[in-house]
Amino acid sequence: MKLKLAFLLATALIVSPSVLFAQDRGGVINVATIGEPPTLDPMASTADLVGIVTQHIFETLYTFDKEWKTTPLLAESLPEISADGKTYTIKLRAGIKFHDGSDMASDDVVASLDRWIKVASRGKQAASFIDKIEATDPLTVTITLKQPYAPLVSLLAFNNSAAIILPKEKQEEPMKEFIGTGPYMLKERKADQYIQLVRFDGYKSREGDGNGYGGARHQYLDEIRFVPVPDANTRVEAAVSGQYDYIDSIPVESFDKIKSSSATEPVVLTPFGYPVFVFNTAQGLAKDVAMRKAIRQALSMEDMLAAAFGSTDFYALDGDIYPKNFIWNTNAGVEGNYNIADPEGAAKAAKAAGYDGEKPIRILTSRQYEFHYKMAQVAAEYLKLAGFKVDMQVVDWATLTQRRADKALWDIYITHSPFLPEPALIGSLAPTSPGWWDTPLRKQTVEAFSAESDPEKRIALWADVQKAMYEEIPYMKIGDFNAVAAKSKKIEGIQAAPWPYFWNASIKK
């Protein structure tokens, strides 16, 4: 019997016994990130780096607990949903303050959600289902839908392209003031040097213990500094020397080196997620599905994973979008369409699709995630064997997130995703997401899945979506992988998590 949620991922979010006891208050931690976030407006970006930093500043109505179930954050409780599935009544917590000292009320939430459905890609995804958002009383918001939309609460809980709650007077686009309700507030940002967050003394935590991203958020630390360290090898050496208190995204081949350090220890999330090649289905060579199929036919997922992660201790060859320990696991569409590694056949298929060998396939990638770059190198060689020209564009991550928004600049970009608790959170399912998959088959399968509220029926409908993804290839899953980070042995209360968080963390005295 399949687990209802990914057990291994869930256990990575369980709060360890050490944080259940009183912890020391005070101190500063320095967090080494893979680079400079392109923005501090989490509505405006799906980049994990943006979510990692800004989840400390801004909060959403809901979040996810240690079992990846939605749980209230700024909302008092989960929404009351009408029998027809079209009306969501959301009660808000009283006494919540913004960083400017003002009180959060329903009109702030309405203004924020109105901004979300206009600015955020996942908000736009929900917008077509939403009829109206109203403030029913000072602490109640009502969302009325045109038709049932099962993923709504999960979308409201997600921390990138996030439905953050802002003061109604601070709704500018682009964002000019970074005023949230979170446990820490922005003090200073020096580009390419650091982002400095300090404790918000007006913060009102939920009661009880920490529970994944939910539950209590204790502010033991005085200050958190996020420092961009783009070079992966530099992050490794900094981890070994103990230069930082937490170091994100360590190449897996450095695991033993980190393990032998006297200052730092590895943090492993098993399984973390999957790397993907996202296709530009709107413009350029990859617009033609026959060309996308030829590209897929050429590639060896196994060789790309081996180059990126080395040992099978850190990766698994698996074409199913979700692994077998998720209820969403299905092999629909996978057979014959994954890990084909047939450059000769791909050359014939590309020629039949009209490829003349003149235009290059433009692959957009970054070395800040070193495994992205290694996969790109292997992919380029297989594509050359199939007769394709390849233009590999290696840029910093912030530039990549900007360029991927321009349909004229790329054919494939490389990214990765954790295994998300709700498939509707997968960015490429939204036609507004870079890649711009927008076909009748997408609309038919994704909307049927999103409109169904019965859990068992949704599982079958997800199989239809995965089959459509393999048929039209908006993106290619490469395989499963484990993520490695590192933390100082002087820090307690930090848990392995897809988007590491530092409330509930403290420095041992």
Side-chain angles (χ1 to χ4, degrees):
M1 182 176 179
K2 294 179 181 177
L3 298 178
K4 289 193 173 182
L5 289 161
F7 171 77
L8 290 171
L9 185 52
T11 55
L13 294 179
I14 293 174
V15 178
S16 65
S18 64
V19 300
L20 300 180
F21 301 99
Q23 287 177 275
D24 290 314
R25 185 179 173 94
V28 177
I29 66 166
N30 292 283
V31 178
T33 65
I34 62 101
E36 181 78 7
T39 179
L40 290 183
D41 180 356
M43 283 194 193
S45 178
T46 60
D48 285 348
L49 179 56
V50 174
I52 288 168
V53 175
T54 61
Q55 64 187 338
H56 299 82
I57 305 171
F58 303 106
E59 294 181 313
T60 48
L61 293 171
Y62 305 100
T63 188
F64 296 104
D65 68 14
K66 65 189 178 185
E67 295 181 344
W68 288 103
K69 296 176 182 176
T70 51
T71 190
L73 184 53
L74 291 176
E76 181 63 38
S77 56
L78 289 173
E80 298 173 14
I81 304 174
S82 62
D84 64 2
K86 294 183 182 180
T87 304
Y88 286 62
T89 303
I90 300 171
K91 299 290 185 182
L92 306 177
R93 293 168 62 203
I96 300 297
K97 290 192 176 293
F98 290 108
H99 297 160
D100 63 1
S102 61
D103 293 315
M104 183 192 77
S106 57
D107 53 353
D108 300 301
V109 175
V110 170
S112 299
L113 295 183
D114 283 341
R115 183 180 189 269
W116 179 63
I117 62 178
K118 294 171 187 172
V119 171
S121 60
R122 289 186 174 87
K124 293 175 184 177
Q125 183 179 337
S128 62
F129 295 89
I130 294 174
D131 181 28
K132 54 188 175 181
I133 305 170
E134 301 173 293
T136 321
D137 65 42
L139 288 176
T140 306
V141 171
T142 301
I143 301 176
T144 306
L145 304 179
K146 299 173 186 175
Q147 65 185 72
Y149 186 56
L152 180 60
V153 179
S154 291
L155 286 169
L156 292 173
F158 205 32
N159 82 337
N160 64 39
S161 192
I164 56 169
I165 306 305
L166 309 166
K168 60 181 181 297
E169 301 87 0
K170 310 291 185 184
Q171 301 287 331
E172 297 91 352
E173 168 51 34
M175 187 180 286
K176 295 178 182 176
E177 296 182 72
F178 302 90
I179 306 296
T181 60
Y184 291 86
M185 55 187 181
L186 179 66
K187 181 176 182 181
E188 185 177 23
R189 180 183 187 180
K190 286 195 173 182
D192 300 315
Q193 294 185 50
Y194 60 81
I195 296 168
Q196 180 187 18
L197 307 185
V198 295
R199 182 191 293 116
F200 172 44
D201 289 330
Y203 183 68
K204 184 178 180 181
S205 173
R206 295 193 74 93
E207 298 295 326
D209 298 324
N211 185 354
Y213 294 95
R217 294 184 170 188
H218 297 296
Q219 307 155 281
Y220 297 120
L221 301 168
D222 294 326
E223 183 179 320
I224 307 167
R225 286 195 178 212
F226 294 93
V227 181
V229 184
D231 182 74
N233 291 327
T234 304
R235 290 200 299 279
V236 171
E237 295 307 316
V240 172
S241 67
Q243 182 179 353
Y244 297 98
D245 300 293
Y246 189 92
I247 305 92
D248 197 22
S249 192
I250 299 291
V252 295
E253 62 267 24
S254 303
F255 176 84
D256 289 338
K257 192 173 185 180
I258 302 298
K259 193 174 180 181
S260 64
S261 168
S262 60
T264 313
E265 59 192 13
V267 179
V268 182
L269 188 57
T270 307
F272 172 84
Y274 56 103
V276 290
F277 283 24
V278 180
F279 284 107
N280 182 347
T281 69
Q283 192 171 318
L285 277 177
K287 180 179 180 180
D288 184 353
V289 68
M291 197 67 71
R292 299 200 294 272
K293 288 182 178 180
I295 292 169
R296 180 177 66 187
Q297 185 174 351
L299 297 177
S300 168
M301 310 311 191
E302 187 170 12
D303 284 355
M304 284 191 283
L305 290 167
F309 303 108
S311 168
T312 53
D313 290 342
F314 296 102
Y315 75 86
L317 190 66
D318 183 8
D320 303 347
I321 301 300
Y322 281 89
K324 288 182 172 53
N325 53 334
F326 276 80
I327 61 167
W328 305 112
N329 174 254
T330 174
N331 64 0
V334 177
E335 187 174 356
N337 292 318
Y338 176 75
N339 193 40
I340 306 170
D342 178 16
E344 185 177 341
K348 294 175 183 176
K351 186 175 181 181
Y355 184 66
D356 59 9
E358 292 299 316
K359 285 187 177 181
I361 297 172
R362 298 162 297 173
I363 301 177
L364 187 58
T365 190
S366 173
R367 295 200 72 166
Q368 285 166 260
Y369 292 108
E370 186 70 10
F371 66 96
H372 291 187
Y373 176 70
K374 289 178 178 178
M375 289 189 298
Q377 288 181 304
V378 174
E381 294 308 310
Y382 271 93
L383 292 171
K384 289 172 187 175
L385 289 174
F388 287 100
K389 277 189 175 181
V390 178
D391 174 14
M392 194 153 75
Q393 302 176 4
V394 184
V395 298
D396 63 86
W397 189 247
T399 300
L400 185 148
T401 62
Q402 292 167 354
R403 285 194 187 178
R404 71 184 179 185
D406 190 332
K407 297 174 183 178
L409 296 182
W410 59 278
D411 300 302
I412 297 170
Y413 84 84
I414 300 176
T415 186
H416 65 272
S417 173
F419 295 115
L420 301 170
E422 161 60 59
L425 297 173
I426 296 172
S428 291
L429 299 186
T432 55
S433 179
W436 305 283
W437 184 37
D438 192 10
T439 66
L441 182 60
R442 185 214 69 85
K443 182 178 176 65
Q444 174 191 335
T445 56
V446 173
E447 291 191 1
F449 171 69
S450 298
E452 180 56 62
S453 57
D454 183 279
E456 293 302 318
K457 291 179 181 177
R458 294 191 81 221
I459 292 170
L461 289 168
W462 167 246
D464 293 340
V465 177
Q466 180 174 293
K467 186 177 179 180
M469 294 169 75
Y470 268 94
E471 177 60 30
E472 297 192 338
I473 328 176
Y475 74 42
M476 294 184 303
K477 178 186 175 183
I478 309 304
D480 302 339
F481 78 102
N482 305 334
V484 178
K487 75 173 187 71
S488 168
K489 293 180 179 179
K490 296 178 181 178
I491 306 298
E492 60 184 356
I494 292 178
Q495 307 303 309
W499 309 282
Y501 54 90
F502 304 99
W503 58 81
N504 296 340
S506 65
I507 301 170
K508 297 176 185 176
K509 296 293 173 81

